[in-house]
Amino acid sequence: MHMITEPPSLFALQIATLSVIVISAHQLLLRARNRQVYRPLAVCLLAIGFITALPISKTLLPVSFQVLHLIFCLPALLLVAPSLWLYSIGLTCQTPWSFQKSDIKHFAPSGFGCLVALVALILPEQYRYAILVNDNLTLVEQAPTVLRSVIYGLLIVTFGCVLGWIAQSAWYFYKLINRLHHYHEQLKDVFASTEQKELRWLVWLLISVGGVWLFIALDLFLDNLFSPIQFDQHLYAMMLLLLVYSLALWGLRQKPGFTECYELADSHEFVSDPTSSEQVKYQRSALDHQRASQIVTKLEHAMVVDKCYLDANLSLPKLAKHIHTPSHYISQTLNETLGMRFFDFVNQHRVDAAKQLLAQEQDAILTVAMEVGFNSKSAFYTAFKKHTTLTPSDYRKQHQIEGNQ
């Protein structure tokens, strides 16, 4: 057995990371029986785990298994970004996500990586060892012409795959940020309170991963052309453990943002594409001006008389059920007739109610916020300033000054 000694502390961090991945992936796969959205995240974590386990295999496994492990790290590397992308799609879809044939294209690079790995496996053993274990190209130079050409071609293709992984990761990073931006906007058409659904943790995680990715990409690039960056392996291992732990923890806690709307999936009251325009979204609607006016009357009655805005978890489906009107008609009326999103429409009434309480009572700002339906003080301040250009405290002070004059 070929043993490579790792410092005990570094080996412990690698084992801890792999343990978190295995336990979390197992839990995610169990949940995927009922909701497929967790399956891509499990695949993403397992791919990361396969790469992370490389130093461990160098310590514990025979050289033949080390080589096999190293060869298949390439397709695993190309599997991480597409899996995270599909997981994000599942979290932000307005209908329950499931794997479709159209999703297969995302795994084409990883499939090509598997093909490269299989070609590497059929090389004579001594040449695989010379390239992957001993880093010795002298033996390759002595190989027959055809075999030497195949080996050098394989090395070039592998380097191209590494560069391709850098481009692939950058592309999916851009797509994820763009997707989340549209998702945040779309939430406002369905929910009056969005703080717990905005996936802010995923945005910050992506930014953190982006920083680590830049470092790894630079290290891989330099390692293939010149020499790797010299840095403390403990720092890298700790960062990786923290990122994996965060992804696993939040992944296990997070539900898809539109879970409450899934029962409406069969009625097609919501579109699943967050990038579709309002014009396309409503182009087949049968809503006319008279019906829209009736819906406006119902909406005002629900807010002013029934005070539905006091429900901190008020959503478009809940309000639709309350006024016995299809959700997509309400959404269309708000957007085209009132020029408002559901989020702004409800919060406008909450702010109006808060203004009365601020003028009449001396309750704490947080108490007022909760009484009118807001979930947090920060959300209250944001909405209040948006609709009045003043903070709640400034509004109260201004009202007191006007009252004393």
Side-chain angles (χ1 to χ4, degrees):
M1 181 182 293
H2 180 70
M3 300 290 288
I4 297 179
T5 305
E6 293 273 6
S9 55
L10 181 59
F11 186 75
L13 286 171
Q14 294 164 351
I15 290 292
T17 302
L18 191 59
S19 299
V20 170
I21 289 173
V22 171
I23 294 172
S24 302
H26 178 256
Q27 291 297 316
L28 289 166
L29 288 174
L30 290 177
R31 294 188 182 187
R33 294 175 181 177
N34 299 321
R35 191 166 288 167
Q36 290 191 34
V37 65
Y38 296 111
R39 189 167 290 127
L41 182 59
V43 173
C44 178
L45 285 172
L46 289 173
I48 295 173
F50 188 83
I51 301 167
T52 303
L54 187 58
I56 299 174
S57 71
K58 288 182 178 180
T59 302
L60 301 178
L61 300 180
V63 177
S64 58
F65 286 96
Q66 295 176 31
V67 172
L68 186 66
H69 191 170
L70 180 59
I71 287 174
F72 281 96
C73 276
L74 177 62
L77 191 66
L78 295 168
L79 194 60
V80 175
S83 300
L84 186 59
W85 164 250
L86 291 181
Y87 171 64
S88 301
I89 291 290
L91 287 182
T92 56
C93 266
Q94 290 189 343
T95 54
W97 181 86
S98 60
F99 189 82
Q100 306 294 326
K101 289 183 179 180
S102 58
D103 295 325
I104 295 176
K105 63 179 181 291
H106 295 289
F107 299 103
S110 183
F112 181 75
C114 284
L115 181 61
V116 173
L118 292 175
V119 172
L121 283 178
I122 65 176
L123 292 176
E125 186 177 14
Q126 65 269 28
Y127 295 109
R128 289 205 306 269
Y129 280 38
I131 298 170
L132 299 174
V133 178
N134 302 321
D135 196 20
N136 179 16
L137 295 181
T138 304
L139 183 62
V140 177
E141 289 291 338
Q142 300 172 358
T145 304
V146 175
L147 182 58
R148 185 170 66 250
S149 300
V150 170
I151 293 174
Y152 281 128
L154 191 63
L155 291 174
I156 293 172
V157 170
T158 302
F159 179 66
C161 287
V162 172
L163 294 180
W165 170 76
I166 296 174
Q168 179 203 49
S169 300
W171 171 243
Y172 278 111
F173 181 85
Y174 167 77
K175 285 171 66 69
L176 278 167
I177 295 297
N178 194 47
R179 174 86 185 188
L180 290 173
H181 171 74
H182 286 290
Y183 167 71
H184 293 160
E185 294 300 312
Q186 195 180 29
L187 284 174
K188 296 179 181 180
D189 286 328
V190 183
F191 301 103
S193 299
T194 63
E195 296 91 344
Q196 298 177 354
K197 302 176 182 293
E198 292 184 347
L199 303 180
R200 296 294 181 187
W201 68 270
L202 187 55
V203 175
W204 286 110
L205 187 67
L206 284 173
I207 293 174
S208 301
V209 169
V212 176
W213 166 82
L214 285 174
F215 178 81
I216 295 175
L218 182 61
D219 184 50
L220 281 173
F221 182 79
L222 294 177
D223 187 25
N224 280 273
L225 286 183
F226 307 104
S227 61
I229 301 173
Q230 299 299 321
F231 63 96
D232 188 353
Q233 291 288 337
H234 289 80
L235 178 61
Y236 170 72
M238 290 179 65
M239 287 193 302
L240 183 60
L241 175 59
L242 181 60
L243 290 175
V244 166
Y245 178 79
S246 301
L247 180 59
L249 175 65
W250 284 101
L252 287 167
R253 294 178 59 183
Q254 185 67 58
K255 293 181 179 179
F258 292 100
T259 302
E260 299 171 32
C261 306
Y262 283 175
E263 65 270 15
L264 300 175
D266 294 335
S267 65
H268 305 289
E269 292 190 8
F270 293 95
V271 292
S272 59
D273 180 8
T275 62
S276 61
S277 66
E278 295 302 323
Q279 182 178 0
V280 173
K281 182 178 176 180
Y282 301 129
Q283 64 182 356
R284 297 182 180 179
S285 174
L287 184 67
D288 56 24
H289 179 71
Q290 182 179 359
R291 182 73 184 277
S293 298
Q294 294 173 351
I295 293 175
V296 170
T297 302
K298 287 184 177 182
L299 289 172
E300 290 299 331
H301 186 276
M303 292 295 116
V304 177
V305 179
D306 300 335
K307 299 186 184 299
C308 290
Y309 60 83
L310 296 178
D311 180 1
N313 297 314
L314 183 64
S315 64
L316 185 59
K318 278 188 179 182
L319 185 59
K321 185 176 181 180
H322 180 80
I323 66 174
H324 307 289
T325 303
S327 297
H328 61 288
Y329 281 172
I330 296 176
S331 181
Q332 184 176 356
T333 299
L334 288 171
N335 281 275
E336 295 184 348
T337 304
L338 299 181
M340 303 177 72
R341 286 181 162 169
F342 177 77
F343 177 86
D344 294 318
F345 174 73
V346 175
N347 284 333
Q348 174 68 71
H349 286 278
R350 289 174 174 172
V351 168
D352 289 341
K355 287 163 65 176
Q356 297 181 20
L357 294 179
L358 290 170
Q360 298 171 2
E361 303 175 8
Q362 294 301 317
D363 290 337
I365 300 296
L366 180 59
T367 302
V368 173
M370 297 300 176
E371 285 183 1
V372 299
F374 286 98
N375 277 324
S376 66
K377 188 174 181 179
S378 60
F380 176 48
Y381 265 78
T382 300
F384 197 93
K385 192 166 185 179
K386 178 179 180 179
H387 291 284
T388 67
T389 69
L390 297 172
T391 65
S393 301
D394 291 338
Y395 178 85
R396 173 175 275 171
K397 291 177 183 178
Q398 185 183 79
H399 189 272
Q400 290 174 344
I401 293 174
E402 292 175 353
N404 292 330
Q405 290 179 349

